[in-house]
Amino acid sequence: MQLGIDLGGTKIEAAVLDAAGSFRFRERIATPQGDYQATLQAIHALVLSAESALHESVTAVGIGHPGSANPLDGRIRNANSTCLNGQTLQADLQALLARPVKLANDADCLALSEATDGIAKNDPTVFGVILGTGVGGGWVINGRLLQGPNGLAGEWGHNPLPISFADELPAPACYCGKHGCIEAWLSGPALVADYQKQTPDKSITDVPALVNAATHGNHNAQLALDRHTQRLARALAVIINACDPTAIVLGGGVSQRPGLINDLSTALPAHVFLPAGTPLQTKILLPAFGDSSGVRGAARLF
């Protein structure tokens, strides 16, 4: 029995899938905030809960997590759940759980899930995107997860946003220490910050509230969403020009805003290296499994 764990900043979800991809077991708990040892124990508790519920032993555990593991020493880096950074997560979990553990970035798990039996299951090259508290990505080529020698495949969120315009300078700071990263423009907090920069209204503090305001006629809120769409188009055009995926799957809470897929599909061709009027063949999709794609992908790491 293989268990998948989606280790997020606010929740930890565990799942076991059957051969048809249906859930045999699924449970969510809150993530201990800022406490690495408590996080390990929470994962251990989920493993025990699955074994108790299904009356079977868990033979292996796949973990989807923010950031990536350094191939040289296994230590987590670049995680916005900062208590993970510098920790040997795989080795520590294998010692605690006494069974094999595999790790992958959470966006890798999204891509793997959707390319295996989700919305992009028939597509040979899939780029999975997370637009949420952070911005990440993952590649699946012919059904196999691409991780690369540095463990960085898909980390487009920490490239600079292409074509910075005068009103986008100076570029916003990113938690990674750089300025102008795609994440610093396209994450949920960045979208809200962009709105607040353009208006004295500070009452809107999250993306659902921003979308609701735009729906009810807030012109500045709608302009913020439009700017976000155009910046996303510029950022994804680089992915298409460089690697030309068959499908791009957009996950994460920010991707759920109404109209994004249609607006993005309209905006993208102007930034892709195609003759004017040529239809873009890359499919822009929302995940079939919503916010469960991550845990489903983690369960498929073995």
Side-chain angles (χ1 to χ4, degrees):
M1 183 170 69
Q2 296 172 4
L3 180 75
I5 299 279
D6 183 12
L7 174 53
T10 58
K11 55 91 177 169
I12 305 174
E13 182 174 7
V16 176
L17 305 178
D18 64 19
S22 299
F23 286 112
R24 293 186 62 206
F25 170 85
R26 188 180 185 188
E27 183 176 341
R28 290 184 178 187
I29 60 175
T31 303
Q33 294 302 300
D35 190 329
Y36 178 66
Q37 291 300 324
T39 299
L40 297 180
Q41 294 300 324
I43 292 171
H44 188 202
L46 285 169
V47 172
L48 296 179
S49 181
E51 290 181 327
S52 176
L54 298 176
H55 306 290
E56 294 181 46
S57 295
V58 171
T59 56
V61 180
I63 307 284
H65 62 92
S68 63
N70 187 331
L72 299 179
D73 60 13
R75 294 184 183 276
I76 302 299
R77 69 232 169 139
N78 301 333
N80 52 19
S81 296
T82 55
C83 72
L84 301 178
N85 289 326
Q87 305 290 350
T88 52
L89 180 62
Q90 183 179 24
D92 293 345
L93 282 174
Q94 286 186 154
L96 178 63
L97 302 177
R99 64 205 85 197
V101 172
K102 279 189 178 181
L103 304 183
N105 175 266
D106 47 8
D108 289 344
C109 291
L110 163 80
L112 182 61
S113 172
E114 294 299 328
T116 300
D117 62 354
I119 194 68
K121 64 182 178 181
N122 296 317
D123 294 300
T125 53
V126 178
F127 187 60
V129 171
I130 289 182
L131 299 172
T133 305
V135 172
W139 282 101
V140 174
I141 312 296
N142 293 323
R144 300 191 64 178
L145 186 62
L146 174 66
Q147 293 185 294
N150 300 296
L152 296 175
E155 285 288 6
W156 72 308
H158 294 280
N159 290 330
L161 180 72
I163 327 174
S164 291
F165 297 111
D167 62 354
E168 294 173 334
L169 298 174
C174 184
Y175 84 93
C176 73
K178 300 175 183 177
H179 286 75
C181 291
I182 287 169
E183 178 167 311
W185 285 112
L186 298 182
S187 68
L191 173 53
V192 173
D194 182 63
Y195 168 77
Q196 293 185 347
K197 181 181 177 181
Q198 302 297 328
T199 173
D201 176 20
K202 302 299 185 278
S203 65
I204 291 177
T205 58
D206 59 31
V207 174
L210 184 66
V211 170
N212 183 63
T215 302
H216 288 85
N218 183 321
H219 181 64
N220 286 323
Q222 186 59 56
L223 288 177
L225 296 179
D226 293 344
R227 288 192 298 271
H228 186 270
T229 300
Q230 291 297 324
R231 288 165 180 156
L232 180 57
R234 284 149 54 188
L236 287 177
V238 174
I239 296 295
I240 295 171
N241 286 343
C243 300
D244 204 13
T246 314
I248 295 174
V249 182
L250 302 180
V254 179
S255 70
Q256 302 303 307
R257 59 184 183 87
L260 176 60
I261 296 298
N262 287 339
D263 292 345
L264 181 60
S265 297
T266 300
L268 258 171
H271 302 287
V272 175
F273 186 51
L274 288 172
T278 304
L280 181 65
Q281 299 301 311
T282 301
K283 293 179 283 187
I284 311 299
L285 306 167
L286 292 175
F289 301 120
D291 67 355
S292 69
S293 292
V295 75
R296 294 175 66 90
R300 298 185 183 283
L301 289 176
F302 282 89

